[in-house]
Amino acid sequence: MRERNQELEAEVLRLKKIMEQAEELNSVPKPDLFALREKILESLTTGRGKVGTFSPQYKTAVKVLDRFVEKLNTEKSASPSAWK
């Protein structure tokens, strides 16, 4: 589970660098939040520390990610500087 968390943290850092570079070019692509949500949920169901899809932890993660994605999609200011 720690390895997966480290991989996800590295991915977040990589994406932040990309977003900073894109912001400099003033052509910021909006990330695919649904794909990111699916990737995170998949990481919970695979590997050594996997969690079942019917477990309370998984259900809580689904609810939190859904609210997070909904909030980001409804934000009027969708610029990367607002995500920091």
Side-chain angles (χ1 to χ4, degrees):
M1 192 65 145
R2 287 184 187 177
E3 288 179 6
R4 185 65 181 151
N5 284 343
Q6 290 173 346
E7 289 173 6
L8 290 174
E9 287 175 1
E11 179 72 10
V12 166
L13 289 175
R14 186 182 72 78
L15 290 173
K16 279 185 179 181
K17 287 180 183 178
I18 291 171
M19 294 300 290
E20 288 172 0
Q21 291 171 353
E23 187 176 25
E24 291 173 4
L25 296 174
N26 203 17
S27 62
V28 181
K30 192 171 180 182
D32 185 3
L33 299 175
F34 185 74
L36 184 58
R37 172 192 176 274
E38 291 300 314
K39 188 173 183 178
I40 292 169
L41 291 176
E42 180 183 335
S43 74
L44 293 174
T45 60
T46 58
R48 186 178 279 179
K50 67 180 175 180
V51 177
T53 57
F54 292 105
S55 72
Q57 296 90 346
Y58 185 85
K59 290 178 181 179
T60 300
V62 169
K63 289 176 187 176
V64 169
L65 287 170
D66 286 343
R67 283 189 299 208
F68 180 71
V69 168
E70 181 181 326
K71 181 162 177 85
L72 285 179
N73 283 333
T74 59
E75 286 287 322
K76 291 182 181 176
S77 171
S79 69
S81 58
W83 298 347
K84 294 178 184 175

